[in-house]
Amino acid sequence: MIEQAIPETLGVEAFQALFDRCSNWGRWGPDDQRGTLNLVTPEHRLRAAALVRDGVTVSCSHPINTVGDNENSSPAMHFVVRAGDVVDGKTVHSTADHLAVSPHGVVHSHLDALCHFVWQGQTYNGRPVSIVTSMGARANAITIGQDGIVSRGVLLDVPRALGSDWLEPEKAISIEDLEATERAQGVRVTSGDILLVRTGRQARRAALGAWDSKSTLSGLHHEAAPWLKERGVALLGCDGVSDVRKQPFTVTTHPIHILTLVAMGMQLLDNQHLEDVAAACAARSRWEFMLVVAPLKLIGGTASLVNPIAIF
Amino acid sequence: MIEQAIPETLGVEAFQALFDRCSNWGRWGPDDQRGTLNLVTPEHRLRAAALVRDGVTVSCSHPINTVGDNENSSPAMHFVVRAGDVVDGKTVHSTADHLAVSPHGVVHSHLDALCHFVWQGQTYNGRPVSIVTSMGARANAITIGQDGIVSRGVLLDVPRALGSDWLEPEKAISIEDLEATERAQGVRVTSGDILLVRTGRQARRAALGAWDSKSTLSGLHHEAAPWLKERGVALLGCDGVSDVRKQPFTVTTHPIHILTLVAMGMQLLDNQHLEDVAAACAARSRWEFMLVVAPLKLIGGTASLVNPIAIF
Amino acid sequence: MIEQAIPETLGVEAFQALFDRCSNWGRWGPDDQRGTLNLVTPEHRLRAAALVRDGVTVSCSHPINTVGDNENSSPAMHFVVRAGDVVDGKTVHSTADHLAVSPHGVVHSHLDALCHFVWQGQTYNGRPVSIVTSMGARANAITIGQDGIVSRGVLLDVPRALGSDWLEPEKAISIEDLEATERAQGVRVTSGDILLVRTGRQARRAALGAWDSKSTLSGLHHEAAPWLKERGVALLGCDGVSDVRKQPFTVTTHPIHILTLVAMGMQLLDNQHLEDVAAACAARSRWEFMLVVAPLKLIGGTASLVNPIAIF
Amino acid sequence: MIEQAIPETLGVEAFQALFDRCSNWGRWGPDDQRGTLNLVTPEHRLRAAALVRDGVTVSCSHPINTVGDNENSSPAMHFVVRAGDVVDGKTVHSTADHLAVSPHGVVHSHLDALCHFVWQGQTYNGRPVSIVTSMGARANAITIGQDGIVSRGVLLDVPRALGSDWLEPEKAISIEDLEATERAQGVRVTSGDILLVRTGRQARRAALGAWDSKSTLSGLHHEAAPWLKERGVALLGCDGVSDVRKQPFTVTTHPIHILTLVAMGMQLLDNQHLEDVAAACAARSRWEFMLVVAPLKLIGGTASLVNPIAIF
């Protein structure tokens, strides 16, 4: 396991330099809102479908969490209308559902829209933060994936490759770690892929109990961001929030969020449940699969709960 | 266009007889909760993936509707936290989302769980309605599809086959209509398929304006229910709610809901947006495609908003 | 019944002149947020309490409306957890409640905060609209009344005084109408009062059915605004929304809202249920009472559902 | 400070005996739903109004709590629509509010309806728990106080009388403690009163930080329940939840809730903010005041957020 020294503090210039290395602004024209989803071509979807060999499907989502606690500051609310109840003299003949959720946060499995983060007053492709109103985003919204995000999914199970059950919460995953995992698994991340990075968060939680995951979570070292661009990742997911927390910047607590969402135009799948898909990969010694993400068609949304489906 | 006479009223015996013809109770064992999802085997998923030839994806969902009116009695609520706002002296650095929705009803694109309807106090496979509590369903919940519902989708564009732009709201689609559409399209619904039935509801609405869709909608004639079972349909979807309304029974306003959800154990996709997928089919003269439905992982849920993705 | 001609259109200068006549900006200092609540002194509360002679209480609120339709575009959502349900093997021993509401609109009985409306980019006392963030208002919020608004309530039952059961929706209530009602009732609105103006909206609805109350409602003529200031009204309520709609301005659809909330710093009680309190007044031939308004203590709120209690 | 020994366990017979001593079932007829609110007569309201001597009002409510943590498992959700945002090409000219709340729990200031608790399958006056459906309570609902609960409020500041800043969370307040507080304050609880019992919960929290208030809170000893009935208390409030937790019963964790809500038909004000009203009382050496509680008019509600207003 290769450790990477993290400088104590990095200022705005250091971060801006990293941002500029990652930026895709203008790459697909001044009006582009799709960002790295542009890297997913029909050809990629065909190749993804061709990965289906067993006809087995696996969810990458946690159950929706409805209990507030120190980790879950915005629990979902779920209420059900029962059938058989008599209301106003009439028997209710069907059940009904109500769900309310604020999907951002560190427990809900969700997809971040490009407008979720801001750098220097701007969102992806130079659009000012003012595009996001209290009634929804006028651009860079969750609807860019409304026809489904379908491509090859690649799981990098970093702790497994590094010989441990999980990464410690302060661990910053380096390029070396990612490439060592590729080698161990015999897979290579290429253009148009959906990359899922496993840190073993759930395994650690199951073994040691909950910790303050709002403050400390393993995730990608900020120097890995340009590697994501270089490899042509279309969408990034993690069982954490992709960012390692704590990290060294004075200017942001979420460098990976800014470098992906804002600079690259790359959406993020946060808080994924990767234990099942990791087991399915390990059982097959195959770390690639067709992956389908179907965000809700929420005009102006800054996020969507999603249930990404891996198809083996 | 073949019309089918509808008797004025049908009583409980007539409906029970129909129910018994459709019933799958016990077919997959006394503990089964998956119903007709059992018909989707890995082999079906492989064949579905093999239908991907163009790498083009199409959504079957409407945008989430947030405006209450006579048609939409339970509008969703969507609010967004802006970045840049200063709260308690600190600048908010990311945007956030809140969505609340009661998905049942005649405007929201959703998947019904098997527990959504009741017949004679029971839900699918003989489970009493008391399994559904105000805090969620203990069985027959939306989670049976939580690993994704993936199979061949078949679209039957009934008005197109019958030579019209849409079906009138009182039109009951008969077996003859369905089979005439199969013949016109050169496709046959077989075991494990996800069947989508287009009535042209949106086309009619676009041309003539909204009507009282709570009371009148085109849908399947109740005699078509046994045909669904005979053909081995795994999941049924419609741009309406599959039921034709009004209909002739004294004992229920939703015979198709009861015959599918309760008797067969077949979930329903209500209020789908089928205009785009119909156009994609027509352009290819091909009425089959890979279809992926990824309901939210909502324990005890009686429904989920979904965004079904057709992959051509 | 005295009719007042309404000019077809009034421009920004005409409205600004009216605004300036009504303005209380600076009257209670540059930092004031309480507006006309400053007019309610301890002495007023003492006199209000002295009006209690019968010990009878009457609500001025409608039941919370949970059904969306063309009039109610944002229905409240109310769900209840039942006791006795068995969840995860345990019997639930208490019932629970969930209520979600967007209180503004034309059916919910609510109190508007001063920040609810804007004129030329500013809210009451010159605070810019930017004080209202998507996470709440930093000033001019609903909390100015958090210790309770208690004063003399005066009901002006305008249709009763004018000899009719209700006012027609397009009726603009003039100063003459208000003063004729005062004379008919033998009461005079004075400094520190909570003024409730009845238009008979519910009576009309009960007799003739619902109409498009989003577009047409009886309310105060805009020229009555300076009269409210002159009389020293502390809080204004109405069974409509105080504004007559339609009205003649090109610059706003809600002149009374702007002239009270923004110019005067006077909060508004919208959509009050005034039939019971009107009957209680008529039975006593007494149009004054102690009135207690207890808004929810919602930091940053722009409104609160309220149930104002008249005490006779 | 008089300690009262608590037996380790008390079984169903002991509790039933206590229940029977407290029961008001049938006292106001078989159809009664108002319970101890029947004790508040017009005469009591007149006397309450006569207590207003200073014209000063004080809130007994906490701010609405929107942050989930280990103490607050169901945080409220509050979102605001800003004015000035441009949506669909139009500038929003007013701000708007959305509030969602599940009021039960140990942080929200709320009023419990009589149907909130159950004993042996029944609610107040022998109504079965089945009156509470998932769509609301058909009886014993929060609407019994919809015209306002107005009476004399009496604050018993127990820690102050016992010479401490707060009671420890495990402290069970005995009859002796209550009567010692009456003597120290020179006040006597009598029929029709609204009794507020201060435990100093907020003072302790401010000094020592939060603790697990879901599990341990000071409150009334169960033997004090018959005393409440004997004195004719109409409504009981507390800065905790009136119950002391932990307590000795095997059959319930909330004896006071059952003995008041179910047996006596006495509603409860939970989690009140009593620091300000205690200070107002101490400053005047007067522990009585006019108290107005105005629950939201929520048909079928099992609770309401409330902001009780003490008027001195």
Side-chain angles (χ1 to χ4, degrees):
Chain A
M1 186 157 168
I2 302 155
E3 284 299 335
Q4 188 161 3
I6 298 183
E8 287 271 310
T9 54
L10 285 169
V12 65
E13 297 80 8
F15 190 73
Q16 184 67 53
L18 199 50
F19 188 97
D20 292 343
R21 285 168 62 199
C22 292
S23 174
N24 283 323
W25 292 15
R27 178 172 170 186
W28 296 287
D31 294 333
D32 180 64
Q33 297 188 35
R34 291 180 57 78
T36 54
L37 290 188
N38 284 296
L39 298 172
V40 182
T41 64
E43 182 62 27
H44 285 92
R45 295 187 198 106
L46 284 174
R47 275 186 270 157
L51 293 172
V52 179
R53 296 176 201 168
D54 303 306
V56 170
T57 61
V58 179
S59 164
C60 299
S61 169
H62 291 286
I64 294 175
N65 190 324
T66 58
V67 180
D69 57 26
N70 284 352
E71 200 175 3
N72 186 12
S73 57
S74 292
M77 293 170 167
H78 180 221
F79 300 93
V80 167
V81 173
R82 295 172 69 249
D85 282 347
V86 177
V87 177
D88 294 341
K90 289 183 231 167
T91 301
V92 177
H93 66 292
S94 61
T95 63
D97 226 79
H98 178 70
L99 176 67
V101 66
S102 300
H104 294 295
V106 297
V107 302
H108 300 301
S109 298
H110 67 269
L111 177 68
D112 283 340
L114 297 185
C115 65
H116 176 45
F117 262 74
V118 181
W119 173 247
Q120 306 288 51
Q122 292 182 296
T123 65
Y124 170 66
N125 221 3
R127 290 194 179 81
V129 62
S130 58
I131 57 166
V132 182
T133 80
S134 51
M135 300 176 76
R138 286 196 303 267
N140 290 344
I142 201 68
T143 41
I144 65 168
Q146 70 181 9
D147 283 314
I149 303 170
V150 178
S151 195
R152 180 174 81 142
V154 172
L155 176 72
L156 292 186
D157 188 339
V158 182
R160 187 175 196 276
L162 299 187
S164 58
D165 290 328
W166 58 75
L167 305 181
E168 288 302 318
E170 66 278 14
K171 164 68 181 172
I173 301 169
S174 65
I175 294 173
E176 288 73 17
D177 295 329
L178 294 169
E179 296 190 342
T181 306
E182 286 187 318
R183 285 189 300 273
Q185 295 181 174
V187 71
R188 182 178 168 85
V189 176
T190 56
S191 180
D193 284 345
I194 302 173
L195 172 61
L196 301 179
V197 177
R198 181 176 175 268
T199 69
R201 178 186 181 190
Q202 277 86 47
R204 188 178 192 276
R205 191 186 162 113
L208 304 182
W211 69 94
D212 180 7
S213 64
K214 284 190 208 164
S215 300
T216 52
L217 267 180
S218 177
L220 296 188
H221 191 281
H222 56 273
E223 284 291 346
W227 183 91
L228 298 172
K229 181 186 177 189
E230 181 185 305
R231 289 297 187 91
V233 172
L235 181 66
L236 176 66
C238 188
D239 51 3
V241 297
S242 289
D243 267 292
V244 63
R245 312 186 60 191
K246 310 279 191 151
Q247 49 69 42
F249 289 96
T250 55
V251 287
T252 175
T253 55
H254 289 74
I256 293 292
H257 269 63
I258 293 178
L259 297 171
T260 52
L261 296 170
V262 188
M264 293 185 228
M266 183 188 298
Q267 294 185 321
L268 295 176
L269 289 163
D270 285 344
N271 311 305
Q272 300 299 294
H273 173 66
L274 299 182
E275 300 309 282
D276 293 346
V277 71
C281 287
R284 289 165 176 80
S285 295
R286 185 155 63 90
W287 307 88
E288 59 175 3
F289 38 84
M290 186 184 195
L291 188 61
V292 178
V293 184
L296 297 177
K297 210 164 175 173
L298 179 59
I299 294 175
T302 72
S304 174
L305 289 184
V306 284
N307 183 5
I309 304 297
I311 313 175
F312 288 87
Chain B
M1 186 158 167
I2 302 155
E3 283 301 334
Q4 188 161 3
I6 298 182
E8 286 271 309
T9 54
L10 285 168
V12 66
E13 297 80 9
F15 190 72
Q16 184 67 52
L18 199 50
F19 187 98
D20 293 342
R21 286 168 62 198
C22 291
S23 175
N24 283 323
W25 292 16
R27 177 173 172 186
W28 296 286
D31 295 334
D32 180 64
Q33 297 188 37
R34 292 181 56 78
T36 54
L37 290 188
N38 284 295
L39 299 172
V40 182
T41 65
E43 182 62 28
H44 285 92
R45 295 188 199 105
L46 284 174
R47 274 186 271 158
L51 292 172
V52 179
R53 296 177 201 166
D54 303 308
V56 170
T57 62
V58 178
S59 164
C60 300
S61 169
H62 290 285
I64 294 175
N65 189 324
T66 58
V67 179
D69 57 27
N70 285 351
E71 199 175 5
N72 185 14
S73 57
S74 293
M77 293 171 168
H78 180 223
F79 299 93
V80 167
V81 173
R82 295 172 70 248
D85 281 347
V86 177
V87 177
D88 293 342
K90 288 183 232 168
T91 301
V92 177
H93 66 292
S94 60
T95 62
D97 226 78
H98 178 70
L99 176 68
V101 66
S102 300
H104 293 294
V106 297
V107 302
H108 301 301
S109 297
H110 67 270
L111 178 68
D112 282 341
L114 297 185
C115 66
H116 176 45
F117 262 74
V118 183
W119 173 245
Q120 306 288 49
Q122 293 182 296
T123 66
Y124 170 67
N125 222 1
R127 291 194 178 80
V129 62
S130 59
I131 56 166
V132 182
T133 79
S134 51
M135 299 176 75
R138 287 195 303 269
N140 290 343
I142 200 69
T143 41
I144 66 168
Q146 69 182 10
D147 283 313
I149 303 170
V150 178
S151 196
R152 181 175 79 141
V154 173
L155 176 73
L156 292 186
D157 188 339
V158 182
R160 188 175 195 275
L162 299 186
S164 59
D165 290 327
W166 57 76
L167 304 181
E168 287 303 317
E170 68 277 12
K171 163 70 180 173
I173 300 169
S174 66
I175 294 174
E176 288 73 17
D177 296 329
L178 295 169
E179 297 191 340
T181 306
E182 286 187 318
R183 284 189 301 273
Q185 295 181 176
V187 72
R188 183 178 167 85
V189 176
T190 57
S191 181
D193 283 346
I194 303 173
L195 172 60
L196 302 179
V197 178
R198 180 175 176 269
T199 69
R201 179 185 182 190
Q202 278 86 46
R204 188 177 192 276
R205 192 187 161 110
L208 304 182
W211 68 94
D212 180 7
S213 64
K214 285 189 206 163
S215 301
T216 52
L217 267 180
S218 177
L220 296 187
H221 192 281
H222 56 273
E223 285 291 346
W227 182 91
L228 298 172
K229 180 185 177 189
E230 180 186 306
R231 290 297 187 91
V233 171
L235 181 67
L236 176 64
C238 188
D239 51 4
V241 296
S242 288
D243 266 294
V244 62
R245 312 185 60 188
K246 310 276 190 152
Q247 48 71 42
F249 289 97
T250 55
V251 288
T252 176
T253 55
H254 289 76
I256 294 291
H257 270 62
I258 294 178
L259 297 170
T260 52
L261 296 169
V262 187
M264 294 185 226
M266 182 189 299
Q267 294 184 322
L268 295 176
L269 290 163
D270 284 344
N271 311 306
Q272 301 299 294
H273 173 66
L274 299 182
E275 300 310 281
D276 293 345
V277 71
C281 286
R284 289 165 176 80
S285 294
R286 185 154 62 90
W287 307 88
E288 58 176 4
F289 37 84
M290 185 183 196
L291 187 62
V292 178
V293 184
L296 297 177
K297 209 165 177 173
L298 178 59
I299 294 176
T302 73
S304 174
L305 289 184
V306 284
N307 183 5
I309 303 296
I311 313 176
F312 288 88
Chain C
M1 188 157 167
I2 301 155
E3 284 300 335
Q4 189 161 3
I6 298 182
E8 286 271 310
T9 54
L10 285 168
V12 65
E13 297 80 8
F15 189 71
Q16 184 67 52
L18 199 50
F19 188 97
D20 293 341
R21 285 168 62 199
C22 292
S23 174
N24 282 322
W25 292 16
R27 177 172 171 187
W28 296 287
D31 295 333
D32 180 63
Q33 297 188 35
R34 293 181 55 77
T36 54
L37 290 188
N38 284 296
L39 299 172
V40 182
T41 65
E43 182 62 29
H44 285 92
R45 295 188 198 104
L46 284 174
R47 274 187 271 159
L51 292 172
V52 179
R53 296 178 201 167
D54 303 306
V56 170
T57 62
V58 179
S59 164
C60 299
S61 169
H62 290 286
I64 294 175
N65 189 324
T66 58
V67 180
D69 57 25
N70 284 350
E71 199 174 4
N72 185 14
S73 57
S74 292
M77 292 171 168
H78 180 221
F79 300 92
V80 167
V81 173
R82 295 172 70 249
D85 282 347
V86 177
V87 177
D88 294 342
K90 290 183 230 167
T91 302
V92 177
H93 66 292
S94 61
T95 62
D97 227 78
H98 177 71
L99 177 67
V101 67
S102 300
H104 293 294
V106 298
V107 302
H108 301 301
S109 297
H110 67 270
L111 177 67
D112 283 340
L114 298 185
C115 65
H116 176 45
F117 262 74
V118 182
W119 173 246
Q120 306 288 50
Q122 292 182 296
T123 66
Y124 171 67
N125 222 0
R127 289 194 180 80
V129 62
S130 58
I131 57 166
V132 182
T133 79
S134 51
M135 300 176 74
R138 287 195 303 267
N140 291 343
I142 200 69
T143 41
I144 65 167
Q146 69 181 9
D147 283 313
I149 303 170
V150 178
S151 194
R152 180 173 81 141
V154 172
L155 176 72
L156 293 186
D157 188 340
V158 182
R160 188 176 196 274
L162 300 186
S164 58
D165 290 327
W166 58 75
L167 305 181
E168 288 303 317
E170 67 278 14
K171 164 69 181 172
I173 301 169
S174 65
I175 295 174
E176 288 72 17
D177 296 329
L178 294 169
E179 297 191 341
T181 306
E182 285 187 318
R183 286 190 300 272
Q185 295 180 174
V187 71
R188 182 180 167 84
V189 176
T190 57
S191 181
D193 284 345
I194 302 173
L195 172 61
L196 302 178
V197 177
R198 180 175 177 269
T199 69
R201 179 185 181 190
Q202 278 85 47
R204 189 178 192 276
R205 191 186 162 112
L208 304 182
W211 68 94
D212 180 7
S213 63
K214 285 190 206 164
S215 300
T216 52
L217 268 179
S218 177
L220 296 187
H221 191 281
H222 56 272
E223 284 291 346
W227 183 90
L228 298 171
K229 180 186 178 189
E230 180 186 307
R231 288 297 186 92
V233 171
L235 181 66
L236 176 66
C238 188
D239 51 4
V241 297
S242 289
D243 266 293
V244 62
R245 312 187 59 191
K246 310 280 192 153
Q247 48 71 41
F249 288 98
T250 55
V251 287
T252 175
T253 54
H254 289 75
I256 294 291
H257 269 63
I258 294 178
L259 297 171
T260 51
L261 296 170
V262 187
M264 294 185 226
M266 183 188 299
Q267 294 185 322
L268 295 176
L269 289 163
D270 285 343
N271 310 306
Q272 300 299 294
H273 173 67
L274 298 182
E275 300 310 283
D276 294 345
V277 72
C281 286
R284 289 164 177 81
S285 295
R286 185 156 62 90
W287 307 88
E288 59 176 3
F289 38 84
M290 184 184 196
L291 188 61
V292 178
V293 184
L296 297 176
K297 210 165 175 171
L298 178 60
I299 294 176
T302 72
S304 175
L305 288 184
V306 285
N307 183 4
I309 304 296
I311 313 175
F312 288 87
Chain D
M1 186 159 168
I2 301 154
E3 283 300 334
Q4 189 161 4
I6 298 182
E8 286 270 310
T9 54
L10 285 169
V12 66
E13 298 80 9
F15 190 72
Q16 184 68 52
L18 198 51
F19 187 98
D20 294 342
R21 286 169 62 200
C22 292
S23 175
N24 283 323
W25 292 15
R27 177 173 172 186
W28 296 287
D31 294 333
D32 180 63
Q33 297 188 35
R34 292 181 55 79
T36 54
L37 290 189
N38 284 295
L39 299 171
V40 182
T41 65
E43 182 62 28
H44 285 91
R45 295 189 198 105
L46 284 174
R47 275 187 271 157
L51 293 171
V52 179
R53 296 178 202 167
D54 302 307
V56 169
T57 62
V58 178
S59 164
C60 299
S61 168
H62 290 286
I64 293 175
N65 189 323
T66 58
V67 180
D69 57 26
N70 285 351
E71 200 175 4
N72 185 14
S73 57
S74 292
M77 292 171 168
H78 180 221
F79 299 92
V80 167
V81 174
R82 296 172 70 250
D85 282 347
V86 178
V87 177
D88 294 341
K90 290 183 231 167
T91 301
V92 177
H93 66 292
S94 61
T95 63
D97 226 78
H98 178 70
L99 177 67
V101 67
S102 300
H104 294 294
V106 298
V107 302
H108 301 301
S109 298
H110 67 269
L111 177 68
D112 282 341
L114 297 184
C115 66
H116 176 46
F117 262 73
V118 182
W119 173 245
Q120 305 289 50
Q122 292 182 295
T123 65
Y124 170 67
N125 222 2
R127 289 194 179 81
V129 62
S130 59
I131 56 165
V132 182
T133 80
S134 51
M135 299 176 76
R138 286 195 302 268
N140 290 343
I142 200 69
T143 41
I144 66 168
Q146 69 182 9
D147 283 313
I149 303 171
V150 178
S151 195
R152 181 175 80 140
V154 173
L155 177 72
L156 292 185
D157 188 340
V158 182
R160 188 175 195 276
L162 298 186
S164 58
D165 290 328
W166 57 76
L167 305 181
E168 287 303 317
E170 69 277 14
K171 164 69 179 173
I173 300 169
S174 66
I175 295 174
E176 288 72 17
D177 295 330
L178 294 169
E179 296 191 341
T181 306
E182 286 187 319
R183 286 190 300 273
Q185 295 181 174
V187 72
R188 182 179 167 84
V189 176
T190 57
S191 181
D193 283 346
I194 302 172
L195 171 61
L196 302 178
V197 177
R198 180 175 177 269
T199 70
R201 179 185 182 190
Q202 279 85 47
R204 188 178 192 276
R205 191 187 161 111
L208 304 182
W211 69 92
D212 180 7
S213 64
K214 285 189 207 164
S215 301
T216 52
L217 267 180
S218 177
L220 295 188
H221 191 280
H222 56 272
E223 284 291 346
W227 182 90
L228 297 172
K229 181 186 177 188
E230 181 186 304
R231 290 297 187 89
V233 171
L235 182 66
L236 175 65
C238 188
D239 51 3
V241 297
S242 289
D243 267 293
V244 63
R245 313 185 58 189
K246 309 277 190 151
Q247 49 70 43
F249 289 97
T250 55
V251 287
T252 176
T253 54
H254 289 76
I256 293 292
H257 269 63
I258 294 178
L259 297 170
T260 51
L261 295 170
V262 187
M264 293 185 227
M266 183 188 298
Q267 294 185 322
L268 294 175
L269 290 163
D270 285 344
N271 310 307
Q272 300 299 293
H273 173 65
L274 299 182
E275 301 309 284
D276 293 346
V277 71
C281 287
R284 289 166 175 80
S285 295
R286 184 155 63 90
W287 307 88
E288 58 175 4
F289 39 83
M290 185 185 196
L291 188 61
V292 178
V293 185
L296 297 177
K297 209 165 178 172
L298 178 59
I299 293 176
T302 73
S304 175
L305 289 183
V306 285
N307 183 5
I309 303 297
I311 313 176
F312 289 87

